[in-house]
């Protein structure tokens, strides 16, 4: 019996060891003294020790030195209150490898009682990749252009980015751990927990704020309109809510400005005879006048906010969208009635009808709006078909017929009602004589087009019998006999005087809006100039006190050196160094101000020669260095020579500086030309930088290396960007940390050809 029990025990121990060894995580068993009694292969792989090196050793050898003093107390506390527990979730734990490096871990502890005593079985998980992923996630959140906030199930803030701090006015420390309701206006707070619980219960990506007003509450108590995007995020702490918060204050202001303009136009547009529809950049209707309601059998309140495609037959929608995009890209502000070709409208009851349209575009507060004037030409089309088939002459519209000698042979009641002359008075007269017609071009030219095409249409100015002038949309059709020989000319007229007056009023209001935008732009430019002048003045006035600091500190060093101990002399040297660094910073600020304010002098420049002269100056200042420099020859550009020298001076100077620690430094200046266009570049094999911070490169005072590594003020690249922008170009960079960097820039009129000539110079 004893033998059987021993066999069973050995088998159980063997199974335990097999499971222990095959475990996917590192497993360690520790006795009451804290000595390692058992470990698996995963433990050897994780910590770099062999099994023989760990067995019998204190477990603290796997704990970083800064934690070892507290570790025996933690182990003793576990022995006194043994229970299965996890460690590491929500706080940082680290293990120490044999090579001295540390690895982030999570630990699961289990008490085990055996005949030999009490043991602790620890399961150790390497969470390096999880930490790296978490860091990348936080980096993405921090770099997001909109506000990002993460909230746990209890509604407390666990993560925010810089945009949230800027938008709401709180620091990160003031927000973390606080209820999200502190960012919600008081009048909405009571309902907010219910919304959050509903989202947690049924998590899904959704947008809030579209179609209703949402507001955020700043630290100073002010409110601002927002749109919110919500996304569920599963974490170790459970389901979190990741919210994207967009400040839509400027959009609301632009919409209000648009509505104000619409109210100004409403009086005129509401009385227009033709349908007038205004849409925004997204082709959503923002104005729908009474004539449009009658034309499309659709109420204005229902039409507002809908896509314009709703009123276009499906087979024409793709072509319409392409036409709008083409029109938006051009510099044309309007196209006349009929220039869009044959198009059709779609009424609410599904009926299609032919229309004629004119379109105009206007930019207000940086957004484009399009106004379309639509005319239902169903009756005209029907009249043309009736005339061609010689079915009948429509007496309801102003119609006249004249022979080939331009003598009136038919004058219907519509013409009598429009112009005032009776049929007896009109017959036998020429229409242009009777009506004192003003033609848009010579009558002979119009008749030549009529006989060539069989029809003509345009706007004429006629004088009525009472002396009043009216604008008439006139359509002429050449009537032929059975032998296809011209027989008579049929003329259908439509009084568009009121419509033309309405269009003129709309044009005038559009011009006022354009002038308002131009005035606003001029005001902004004036403010910018004042700010630049202020910056220049402040920087200039700082020079004098800095010269005093530098001069008197130098005098102290020279005249009182024997009275100062080495520490005091070192302090004075630090003062002088700081004042000189400040002086350099002021010089850079002044240079930045000059770049912005100076007048541009355009000329043809040999950039290759400029680069050679700059490199020569760098070598003269740093005689002890040997740098391999390659410069493409014959690179010409069109721009301001003084400003472009500053650009190359900064870029080549940076390359010179950041290659100072290379054994074989290399710098090149050249150009690239591909499908994307033509660009110049400055390349080096120096310190490089992490592209994750590339968005900070061209901001003033931003540096990716400390002053202890490389000198500088962080102004140079900001100056480069302003100069390139003034030349209508772009500047960007591509780099790898510790493997060098390449800075590219373009100029608006630079386009090098294969033989080295430039299109703007050689023509």
């Amino acid at each position: 019996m004893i033998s059987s029990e021993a066999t069973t025990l050995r088998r159980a121990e063997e199974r335990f060891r097999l499971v222990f060894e095959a475990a996917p995580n590192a497993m360690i068993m520790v006795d009451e003294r804290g000595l390692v009694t058992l470990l698996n292969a995963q433990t050897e792989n994780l910590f770099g020790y062999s099994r023989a090196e760990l067995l019998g050793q204190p477990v603290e050898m796997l704990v970083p030195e800064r934690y070892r003093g507290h570790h025996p107390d933690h182990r003793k506390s576990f022995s006194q209150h043994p229970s299965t527990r996890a460690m590491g979730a929500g706080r940082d734990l680290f293990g120490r490898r044999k090579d001295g490096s540390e690895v982030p871990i999570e630990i699961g502890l289990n008490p085990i009682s055996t005949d030999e005593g009490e043991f602790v079985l620890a399961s150790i998980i390497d969470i390096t990749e999880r930490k790296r992923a978490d860091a990348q996630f936080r980096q993405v959140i921090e770099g997001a252009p909109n506000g990002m906030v993460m909230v746990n199930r209890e509604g407390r803030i666990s993560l925010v980015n810089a945009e949230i701090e800027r938008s709401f006015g709180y620091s990160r420390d003031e927000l973390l751990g606080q209820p999200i309701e502190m960012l919600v206006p008081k009048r909405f707070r009571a309902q907010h927990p219910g919304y959050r619980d509903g989202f947690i219960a049924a998590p899904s990506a959704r947008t809030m704020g579209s179609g209703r007003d949402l507001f955020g509450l700043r630290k100073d108590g002010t409110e601002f309109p927002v749109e919110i995007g919500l996304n569920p995020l599963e974490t170790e702490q459970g389901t979190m809510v990741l919210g994207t918060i967009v400040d839509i204050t400027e959009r609301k202001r632009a919409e209000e400005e648009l509505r104000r303009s619409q109210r100004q136009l409403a009086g005129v547009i509401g009385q227009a005879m033709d349908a007038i529809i205004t849409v925004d950049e997204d082709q959503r209707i923002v104005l729908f006048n009474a004539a449009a309601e009658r034309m499309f059998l659709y109420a204005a309140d229902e039409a507002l906010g809908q896509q314009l495609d709703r009123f276009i037959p499906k087979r024409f929608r793709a072509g319409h969208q392409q036409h709008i995009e083409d029109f938006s890209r051009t510099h044309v502000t309007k196209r006349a009635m009929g220039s869009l070709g044959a198009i059709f409208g779609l009424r609410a009851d599904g009926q299609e009808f032919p229309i004629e349209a004119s379109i105009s575009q206007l930019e207000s507060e940086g957004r484009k709006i399009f106004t379309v004037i639509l005319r239902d030409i169903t009756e005209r089309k029907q009249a043309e078909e009736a005339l061609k088939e010689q079915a009948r002459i429509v007496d309801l519209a102003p119609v006249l017929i004249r022979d080939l000698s331009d003598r009136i042979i038919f004058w219907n009641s519509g013409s009598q009602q429009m112009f005032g002359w009776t049929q007896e008075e009109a017959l036998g007269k020429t229409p242009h004589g009777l009506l004192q017609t003003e033609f848009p071009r010579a009558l002979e030219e119009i008749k030549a087009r009529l006989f060539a095409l069989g029809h003509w249409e345009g706007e004429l100015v006629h004088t009525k019998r009472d002396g009043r002038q009216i604008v008439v949309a006139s359509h002429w059709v050449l009537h032929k006999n059975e032998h296809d020989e011209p027989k008579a000319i049929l003329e259908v007229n439509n009084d568009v005087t009121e419509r033309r007056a309405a269009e003129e009023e709309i044009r005038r209001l559009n011009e006022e809006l354009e002038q308002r935008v131009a005035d606003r732009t001029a005001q902004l430019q004036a403010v910018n100039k004042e700010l630049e002048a202020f910056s220049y003045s402040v920087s200039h006035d700082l020079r004098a006190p800095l010269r005093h600091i530098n001069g008197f500190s130098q005098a102290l060093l020279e005249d009182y050196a024997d009275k100062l101990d080495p520490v005091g002399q070192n302090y004075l040297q630090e003062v002088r160094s700081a004042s000189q660094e400040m002086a350099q910073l002021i010089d850079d600020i002044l240079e930045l101000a000059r770049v912005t304010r100076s007048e541009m002098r355009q000329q043809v420049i040999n950039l290759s020669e400029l680069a050679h002269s700059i490199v020569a100056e760098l070598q003269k200042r740093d005689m002890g260095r040997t740098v391999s420099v390659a410069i493409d020859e014959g690179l010409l550009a069109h721009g301001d020579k003084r400003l472009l020298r500053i650009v190359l001076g900064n870029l080549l100077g940076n390359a010179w500086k950041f290659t100072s620690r290379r054994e074989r430094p290399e710098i090149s200046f050249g150009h690239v030309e591909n499908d994307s266009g033509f660009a110049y570049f400055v390349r080096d094999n120096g310190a490089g930088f992490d592209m994750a911070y590339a968005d900070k490169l061209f901001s003033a005072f931003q540096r990716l290396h400390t002053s202890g590594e490389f000198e500088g003020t962080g102004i140079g690249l900001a100056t480069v960007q302003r100069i390139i922008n003034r030349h209508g170009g772009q500047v960007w960079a591509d780099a790898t940390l510790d493997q060098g960097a390449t800075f590219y820039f373009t100029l608006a009129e630079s386009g090098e050809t294969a033989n080295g000539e430039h299109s703007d110079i050689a023509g």
Side-chain angles (χ1 to χ4, degrees):
M1 182 66 179
I2 296 176
S3 175
S4 176
E5 290 180 352
T7 300
T8 301
L9 182 60
R10 282 197 301 273
R11 288 177 179 174
E13 289 176 349
E14 184 62 25
R15 284 196 297 271
F16 171 79
R17 290 181 180 275
L18 288 174
V19 172
F20 186 90
E21 188 64 27
N25 302 324
M27 305 287 287
I28 299 179
M29 185 176 289
V30 180
D31 64 15
E32 293 177 325
R33 296 169 299 168
L35 302 180
V36 177
T37 62
L38 188 64
L39 66 142
N40 65 355
Q42 292 293 341
T43 302
E44 295 176 286
N45 294 335
L46 177 59
F47 290 99
Y49 289 98
S50 68
R51 208 171 299 237
E53 291 174 308
L54 287 175
L55 289 174
Q57 298 300 316
V59 73
E60 280 78 12
M61 70 185 294
L62 303 181
V63 177
E65 292 181 0
R66 63 184 183 279
Y67 300 127
R68 289 181 183 175
H70 306 288
H71 195 266
D73 293 337
H74 296 326
R75 182 161 39 75
K76 182 177 180 181
S77 174
F78 181 86
S79 299
Q80 293 172 350
H81 305 284
S83 64
T84 300
R85 66 185 71 171
M87 301 178 64
R91 61 183 179 137
D92 292 333
L93 292 182
F94 293 87
R96 185 180 186 277
R97 295 190 178 99
K98 182 178 180 179
D99 62 5
S101 63
E102 295 184 5
V103 56
I105 57 175
E106 281 185 2
I107 304 176
L109 301 179
N110 289 276
I112 295 179
S113 296
T114 70
D115 294 337
E116 288 79 22
E118 301 295 324
F119 295 83
V120 178
L121 179 62
S123 173
I124 304 173
I125 302 174
D126 180 353
I127 60 171
T128 301
E129 290 304 318
R130 187 194 307 168
K131 286 284 188 179
R132 184 177 295 114
D134 183 64
Q136 291 173 345
F137 171 77
R138 291 176 180 271
Q139 186 177 8
V140 170
I141 293 295
E142 190 64 29
N146 300 321
M148 303 290 286
V149 58
M150 191 154 66
V151 181
N152 63 19
R153 297 178 68 93
E154 290 72 39
R156 295 195 174 273
I157 299 169
S158 61
L159 181 66
V160 296
N161 67 353
E163 186 61 20
I164 288 291
E165 293 178 285
R166 188 198 64 78
S167 298
F168 288 89
Y170 289 97
S171 70
R172 206 167 302 227
D173 291 339
E174 291 174 308
L175 290 173
L176 293 177
Q178 298 301 316
I180 187 64
E181 282 76 16
M182 71 185 293
L183 304 181
V184 178
K186 290 183 178 179
R187 63 184 185 279
F188 301 126
R189 288 181 183 173
Q191 298 87 357
H192 197 266
Y195 294 148
R196 175 164 39 78
D197 292 341
F199 180 87
I200 295 295
S204 63
R206 64 190 70 171
T207 301
M208 302 176 64
S210 179
R212 62 184 178 133
D213 291 334
L214 295 180
F215 293 87
L217 180 66
R218 297 189 179 95
K219 182 179 180 180
D220 62 7
T222 60
E223 298 182 7
F224 63 102
V226 297
E227 278 187 1
I228 302 175
L230 300 179
N231 286 276
L233 194 64
E234 295 298 328
T235 71
E236 295 174 355
Q237 290 77 39
T239 301
M240 297 280 194
V241 182
L242 181 62
T244 301
I245 303 177
V246 182
D247 183 347
I248 59 172
T249 302
E250 290 302 319
R251 186 198 306 172
K252 288 287 188 181
R253 185 177 294 116
E255 290 174 353
E256 182 58 30
E257 182 68 20
L258 182 59
R259 283 193 290 269
R260 190 179 300 113
S261 301
Q262 292 167 0
R263 287 194 293 270
Q264 294 175 354
L265 293 171
V268 175
I269 292 175
Q271 302 300 319
M273 295 177 62
D274 292 325
I276 300 177
I277 302 175
T278 298
V279 298
D280 60 18
E281 290 178 318
D282 298 323
Q283 295 296 292
R284 293 193 178 276
I285 297 172
V286 296
L287 185 145
F288 199 82
N289 76 340
E293 292 182 294
R294 295 190 297 271
M295 178 180 291
F296 293 97
L297 307 179
Y298 214 93
D301 291 342
E302 297 175 357
L304 295 178
Q306 293 208 37
Q307 291 283 338
L308 183 60
D309 281 351
R310 165 65 183 79
F311 303 103
I312 299 173
K314 289 184 178 179
R315 65 182 187 279
F316 296 114
R317 289 176 184 174
H320 164 76
Q321 183 62 37
Q322 185 61 47
H323 175 79
I324 291 296
E325 292 175 0
D326 293 343
F327 180 68
S328 180
R329 284 194 295 266
T330 66
H331 297 291
V332 178
T333 57
K334 63 181 179 179
R335 289 183 180 171
M337 186 70 72
S339 62
L340 305 182
I343 53 178
F344 288 81
L346 180 66
R347 293 192 173 95
D349 60 5
Q351 179 187 1
E352 296 184 10
F353 62 100
I355 55 177
E356 211 175 49
S358 65
I359 184 172
S360 63
Q361 66 174 328
L362 174 68
E363 187 166 335
S364 177
E365 298 292 333
R367 304 182 69 195
K368 288 184 178 179
I369 58 174
F370 303 88
T371 298
V372 185
I373 300 176
L374 303 169
R375 182 184 303 163
D376 184 348
I377 59 172
T378 303
E379 292 183 1
R380 183 201 300 173
K381 290 293 185 182
Q382 292 173 347
E384 290 175 359
E385 292 299 322
L387 285 171
K388 290 178 182 178
E389 297 172 0
Q390 301 182 11
R392 62 189 179 92
I393 298 177
V394 181
D395 196 43
L396 299 177
V399 175
L400 64 90
I401 301 176
R402 61 184 189 270
D403 60 22
L404 299 182
S405 300
D406 280 337
R407 299 292 175 179
I408 298 173
I409 59 175
F410 178 82
W411 183 268
N412 75 343
S413 59
S415 296
Q416 178 175 326
Q417 184 177 0
M418 176 179 284
F419 299 113
W421 278 280
T422 65
Q423 187 178 46
E424 291 76 13
E425 293 171 324
L427 292 177
K429 305 288 195 315
T430 61
H432 45 279
L434 179 68
L435 303 175
Q436 303 177 41
T437 305
E438 297 178 10
F439 294 98
R441 56 178 58 87
L443 178 58
E444 290 75 13
E445 183 180 341
I446 294 175
K447 291 182 69 175
R449 186 175 182 84
L450 170 67
F451 280 90
L453 302 178
H455 63 88
W456 176 86
E457 62 180 320
E459 291 187 352
L460 307 174
V461 178
H462 291 315
T463 302
K464 300 174 65 169
R465 186 172 186 175
D466 61 9
R468 289 185 295 126
Q469 285 190 326
I470 59 173
V471 180
V472 172
S474 187
H475 188 80
W476 298 0
V477 177
L478 189 62
H479 185 52
K480 299 179 179 180
N481 59 21
E482 63 273 13
H483 303 293
D484 202 31
E485 297 172 342
K487 183 179 180 181
I489 301 170
L490 287 79
E491 183 177 325
V492 182
N493 296 299
N494 181 26
D495 186 352
V496 295
T497 305
E498 293 183 5
R499 178 179 64 78
R500 293 292 292 169
E503 290 176 349
E504 181 62 26
E505 180 65 14
I506 292 172
R507 183 197 61 77
R508 184 186 64 78
L509 291 174
N510 283 341
E511 289 179 352
E512 290 181 1
L513 287 175
E514 291 174 353
Q515 183 60 45
R516 195 176 305 164
V517 172
D519 292 343
R520 182 73 58 82
T521 301
Q523 292 171 4
L524 290 174
Q525 290 173 342
V527 170
N528 284 337
K529 288 184 178 179
E530 290 177 4
L531 288 174
E532 291 163 3
F534 175 76
S535 174
Y536 182 88
S537 176
V538 169
S539 301
H540 188 273
D541 291 344
L542 286 174
R543 285 177 172 275
L546 279 175
R547 283 197 296 269
H548 281 75
I549 293 171
N550 194 36
F552 280 107
S553 60
Q554 177 64 27
L556 278 173
L557 284 172
E558 293 176 352
D559 299 341
Y560 295 90
D562 56 339
K563 298 180 181 180
L564 293 172
D565 61 10
V567 174
Q569 293 183 29
N570 184 58
Y571 287 164
L572 280 177
Q573 289 289 2
E574 289 293 330
V575 169
R576 295 197 68 232
S577 177
S579 66
Q580 290 167 1
E581 184 177 346
M582 185 63 181
Q584 182 60 49
L585 184 59
I586 291 172
D587 289 340
D588 290 344
I589 293 174
L590 287 172
E591 184 64 42
L592 188 60
R594 293 191 192 101
V595 164
T596 304
R597 298 168 57 225
S598 62
E599 180 182 354
M600 294 271 289
R601 293 183 175 84
Q602 298 284 349
Q603 65 183 104
V604 178
I605 305 163
N606 190 320
L607 294 180
S608 301
E609 293 180 356
L610 276 182
H612 278 296
S613 65
I614 292 168
V615 169
E617 292 173 3
L618 292 170
Q619 290 176 331
K620 187 175 181 180
R621 291 201 301 263
D622 200 354
M623 299 291 290
R625 287 189 65 195
T626 300
V627 180
S628 174
V629 180
I631 298 175
D632 287 359
E633 300 299 335
L635 294 181
L636 304 179
H638 197 263
D640 186 294
K641 184 174 182 179
R642 182 183 64 84
L643 295 180
L644 291 180
R645 182 179 180 86
I646 293 172
V647 168
L648 288 180
N650 274 290
L651 295 180
L652 290 169
N654 281 349
W656 191 274
K657 174 172 60 178
F658 290 114
T659 57
S660 61
R661 300 183 181 181
R662 287 287 185 263
E663 291 184 8
R664 289 187 290 275
E666 297 176 358
I667 299 173
S668 59
F669 170 59
H671 72 287
V672 292
E673 188 172 7
N674 50 38
D675 294 339
S676 301
F678 180 90
Y680 305 98
F681 68 82
V682 174
R683 180 177 293 128
D684 66 70
N685 66 340
F689 57 85
D690 189 339
M691 286 296 288
Y693 306 102
D695 58 333
K696 299 181 178 181
L697 276 177
F698 300 100
S699 300
F701 308 110
Q702 294 289 342
R703 305 192 64 214
L704 302 187
H705 300 277
T706 65
S707 58
E709 293 178 297
F710 299 100
E711 62 180 9
T713 61
I715 300 292
L717 289 180
T719 303
V720 168
Q721 186 181 57
R722 290 202 183 182
I723 294 174
I724 296 301
N725 288 346
R726 290 195 67 188
H727 282 77
Q730 293 180 311
V731 60
W732 68 97
D734 184 22
T736 303
L737 188 62
D738 203 37
Q739 295 184 27
T742 304
F743 284 82
Y744 299 90
F745 66 92
T746 63
L747 301 173
E749 298 184 3
S750 291
E752 190 174 26
T753 60
N755 61 2
E757 295 179 342
H758 283 61
S759 59
D760 60 317
I761 301 170

